[in-house]
Amino acid sequence: MNDAQNAPAAATGPVRRSRDVPMLVERARAGDPRAVARLITLVESGDEVLPQVAAALAPYAGHAQVVGLTGSPGVGKSTTTNELVRALRARGHRVGVLAIDPSSPFTGGAILGDRVRMQDHATDPGVYIRSMSSRGHLGGLSAATPQAVRVLEGAGCDVVLVETVGVGQAEVEVASLADTTLVLLAPGMGDAIQAVKAGILEIADVFVVNKADRDGADATVRDIQGMIALGERAPGEWRPQVVRSIAARGEGIDDIAAAIDKHRDWLERHGELRRRREARAAAEIEAIALGALRARIGSLRDGTQLPTLAAKVAEGAIDPYAAADELLAQLGS
């Protein structure tokens, strides 16, 4: 199901602009893509019913396997995602895809082109594909991505694939969201060691050397394996897998799926899956709390407290740390 396509005949009624959360969740659970689309829209817009949405979805959280795909632009993330969807559907899994696209720093808009590349699954009711704009959020994701994952879990997806914006070395937020993180590389796109340093190496559970029919693929694999060998690991700790693929021809996709399965088994046997999901929940709670604090601080700008403190700091009557303490005391009162 690709956004509003393939809605069940029974799913009639004004879903498009509805804010009836129980009805939307019920229809999403029944497989209505319009209801799923509406819920994600409410999440993305930060609608005031968002707490109700989160509460309604809470009983269905934690049931889907979340797989993140990241890598530099042009390595074949969308093609690999498309082929992984095909492999997962062959296993009978319901699959959700969140494809994060970069937004314009000038207009805030986004092309949302990743979904166009996945039209092979547009008529499959067992697949839901949603493109989301990053809206300037750093880290390769959208700020709404964690709650959008919860929507897809609530809609009964067995696997959720999260494809990031083409990332640089420091944009590694997907690792805090995914159970398993795939880092895609391609030969001929620069020094492989440069590509995986500064954080990317640490977040990868599986390295995928895509476009492996190109010259330099063997060297790229050796470079990655050499970097992995240099890492320090405790006994029994996960060692990242290195897999070759030619996603455009559907080659190597079964090997990628097998590596994901192997990592999932390791996560469950070592209790790491629960630890990662608890860390993910902690990050969500912290982000929501910080967002609420920012909103309250913003509301103080309309009053006198913040401008008064700012004036005192500017004239040297008080230091900024003391002013911040006063502001926090004001927020707590």
Side-chain angles (χ1 to χ4, degrees):
M1 48 180 162
N2 193 337
D3 277 357
Q5 296 179 10
N6 305 314
T12 58
V15 170
R16 186 173 181 180
R17 297 190 179 278
S18 175
R19 298 168 80 247
D20 182 345
V21 173
M23 180 271 290
L24 289 171
V25 171
E26 180 182 356
R27 290 192 176 183
R29 294 286 296 166
D32 180 354
R34 293 189 181 94
V36 178
R38 180 59 181 156
L39 286 169
I40 294 181
T41 297
L42 292 173
V43 165
E44 281 195 282
S45 64
D47 192 279
E48 62 182 17
V49 301
L50 182 53
Q52 298 176 43
V53 173
L57 293 172
Y60 313 111
H63 302 298
Q65 182 179 10
V66 183
V67 178
L69 296 92
T70 190
S72 300
V75 297
K77 294 189 299 296
S78 295
T79 305
T80 301
T81 300
N82 187 65
E83 293 304 314
L84 271 176
V85 170
R86 196 185 313 280
L88 291 167
R89 288 296 292 144
R91 297 181 177 186
H93 294 314
R94 288 177 60 84
V95 183
V97 178
L98 295 175
I100 316 301
D101 285 306
S103 55
S104 167
F106 303 105
T107 66
I111 295 175
L112 304 181
D114 285 328
R115 192 172 63 194
V116 175
R117 299 189 184 100
M118 301 180 203
Q119 287 301 302
D120 292 353
H121 310 289
T123 59
D124 186 344
V127 178
Y128 184 91
I129 301 170
R130 174 75 174 225
S131 289
M132 300 175 67
S133 169
S134 65
R135 301 191 180 188
H137 184 76
L138 299 179
L141 299 179
S142 161
T145 306
Q147 288 300 321
V149 168
R150 291 184 179 274
V151 172
L152 294 181
E153 286 185 310
C157 291
D158 302 301
V159 182
V160 178
L161 303 177
V162 181
E163 179 192 332
T164 74
V165 172
V167 300
Q169 293 171 353
E171 294 173 313
V172 294
E173 187 177 320
V174 67
S176 66
L177 177 69
D179 300 323
T180 299
T181 301
L182 309 185
V183 172
L184 276 69
L185 302 160
M189 297 191 67
D191 181 7
I193 301 302
Q194 179 74 11
V196 301
K197 71 178 186 180
I200 292 290
L201 180 66
E202 287 80 4
I203 73 165
D205 299 306
V206 179
F207 285 103
V208 178
V209 178
N210 190 34
K211 305 182 182 181
D213 53 338
R214 288 185 176 181
D215 292 340
D218 291 342
T220 301
V221 170
R222 285 196 302 270
D223 287 343
I224 300 303
Q225 289 175 334
M227 289 292 291
I228 293 171
L230 292 174
E232 295 183 1
R233 291 176 185 80
E237 190 174 348
W238 175 255
R239 179 185 176 91
Q241 306 287 290
V242 183
V243 181
R244 301 170 187 249
S245 69
I246 308 173
R249 299 207 296 253
E251 297 178 13
I253 302 302
D254 288 341
D255 294 334
I256 297 174
I260 294 172
D261 291 342
K262 186 176 180 180
H263 184 244
R264 174 64 179 242
D265 291 341
W266 179 86
L267 290 172
E268 292 178 339
R269 283 188 287 107
H270 290 79
E272 182 69 11
L273 183 61
R274 178 168 182 169
R275 190 202 68 77
R276 288 193 180 197
R277 291 186 170 181
E278 288 177 353
R280 184 192 311 168
E284 280 188 75
I285 295 167
E286 182 180 16
I288 292 168
L290 288 174
L293 281 174
R294 289 190 189 99
R296 293 185 63 182
I297 290 173
S299 69
L300 290 178
R301 291 180 181 274
D302 299 328
T304 61
Q305 181 72 5
L306 186 57
T308 299
L309 288 170
K312 289 181 178 180
V313 170
E315 66 188 21
I318 188 175
D319 68 86
Y321 286 93
D325 286 340
E326 284 193 36
L327 184 62
L328 289 173
Q330 176 74 13
L331 289 174
S333 62

